[in-house]
Amino acid sequence: IPCVDETETFCFRIVFKKNPQRPANMTRKFFVCGNWKMNGSKKSIGELIQTLNTAKLDPNVEVVCAAPAIYLELTRSKLDPKFSVAAQNCYIVPSGGFTGEISPAMIKDCGMDWVVLGHSTRRHIFGESNEFIGQKVAHAQENDLGVIVCIGETREEKEKGITDQVIFAQMKAIADNVKDWNKVVLAYEAGWAIGTGNAASPQHVQQIHAKVREWLKNNVSEAVANSVRIIYGGQCCNLPPRRTLMVSLWAKAP
């Protein structure tokens, strides 16, 4: 799979590996979300959409494009319905004097199905707490939006050996506010790898995924632990393709 510099890509990549613990009758639909971040123009997004609309998609793969807020309606109006569209953030109330924010009701009104919440950018640049992200999850679900919720540790947290504590605290804030797990995708972001040109190893990603599933089993239910989709959000350069199945929606920044 081609991989270009982090500044020229916008995507969540997912890493799948056969899991011997997984029930034989349990099928999780593959999920790919391209996070365009703060990139694009009408012209470049239009060109990207033309390319995407001609793509042949496996019906067993769900593909979502997370466009910048100002281009959400443009993207939804031109993008083939075989793709879903997500907002990259939302606020916790339907309306009011909150300059610069958008609400789940507005996102839904413009035809979107998903919203990305808890991205490392929101957590570490804009200072969003676990509790605040949990409130966003609750309000998004009240408005029938699917939520792609990001979790993950920073380099400092990894070096201190507190990855599990950090991720489990994030998970608790999410789980306390989820009403419908069928409309939840969890995205593990290795914050310490972002912008470094490196990727978390398949072994590390699978280990974190397994711990999250075990946490869900112990704190939510075994059914949710088996069914929820957990993806890898981040760079996939240098991952060995024979050991993992990588599905990546990538493109140069529009």
Side-chain angles (χ1 to χ4, degrees):
I1 297 174
C3 189
V4 296
D5 183 81
E6 180 72 15
T7 60
E8 294 186 337
T9 64
F10 41 89
C11 60
F12 282 126
R13 282 82 167 202
I14 50 179
V15 181
F16 291 95
K17 201 161 85 173
K18 288 186 178 179
N19 182 358
Q21 306 291 324
R22 182 172 163 183
N25 62 348
M26 178 58 62
T27 300
R28 303 186 201 111
K29 191 172 186 179
F30 280 18
F31 187 94
V32 182
C33 176
N35 179 16
W36 299 358
K37 302 186 178 179
M38 196 179 71
N39 292 297
S41 64
K42 286 183 179 180
K43 180 177 183 295
S44 60
I45 287 176
E47 292 169 351
L48 176 60
I49 288 172
Q50 284 185 335
T51 300
L52 291 173
N53 285 346
T54 61
K56 293 183 179 179
L57 297 185
D58 186 320
N60 295 314
V61 178
E62 185 171 4
V63 180
V64 179
C65 296
I70 198 167
Y71 297 126
L72 279 171
E73 198 161 15
L74 169 70
T75 301
R76 180 64 287 168
S77 67
K78 293 183 177 297
L79 194 60
D80 191 289
K82 63 189 175 187
F83 299 96
S84 294
V85 179
Q88 297 177 16
N89 186 36
C90 72
Y91 198 55
I92 58 173
V93 296
S95 61
F98 304 99
T99 302
E101 294 290 346
I102 59 173
S103 71
M106 293 173 175
I107 295 167
K108 193 72 178 177
D109 188 42
C110 290
M112 313 312 144
D113 303 309
W114 294 88
V115 61
V116 178
L117 298 173
H119 190 277
S120 58
T121 300
R122 305 302 311 178
R123 292 182 185 272
H124 305 307
I125 295 180
F126 294 97
E128 295 187 1
S129 67
N130 291 341
E131 293 71 23
F132 188 45
I133 292 164
Q135 292 173 27
K136 290 187 175 189
V137 169
H139 193 57
Q141 288 218 320
E142 287 173 4
N143 285 269
D144 199 32
L145 282 175
V147 291
I148 303 160
V149 196
C150 305
I151 59 175
E153 79 280 34
T154 64
R155 178 176 297 279
E156 292 75 16
E157 290 162 345
K158 183 175 186 291
E159 290 175 349
K160 289 179 181 178
I162 59 172
T163 292
D164 290 3
Q165 296 96 306
V166 168
I167 289 177
F168 294 162
Q170 293 169 346
M171 284 300 305
K172 185 178 188 307
I174 295 165
D176 286 348
N177 289 281
V178 169
K179 294 183 178 180
D180 184 358
W181 282 98
N182 293 317
K183 293 187 175 182
V184 175
V185 172
L186 299 172
Y188 167 62
E189 292 184 283
W192 45 270
I194 295 173
T196 65
N198 298 315
S201 70
Q203 294 84 358
H204 177 78
V205 173
Q206 290 297 320
Q207 183 182 55
I208 296 297
H209 285 195
K211 288 181 177 181
V212 171
R213 290 198 188 281
E214 185 66 19
W215 188 93
L216 287 167
K217 179 181 177 181
N218 295 333
N219 294 276
V220 181
S221 73
E222 186 171 7
V224 167
N226 288 333
S227 63
V228 72
R229 291 176 290 182
I230 307 176
I231 67 176
Y232 170 55
Q235 196 158 327
C236 277
C237 294
N238 304 320
L239 291 183
R242 291 187 180 181
R243 299 183 63 182
T244 59
L245 171 61
M246 296 183 291
V247 183
S248 174
L249 174 63
W250 74 277
K252 289 188 176 181

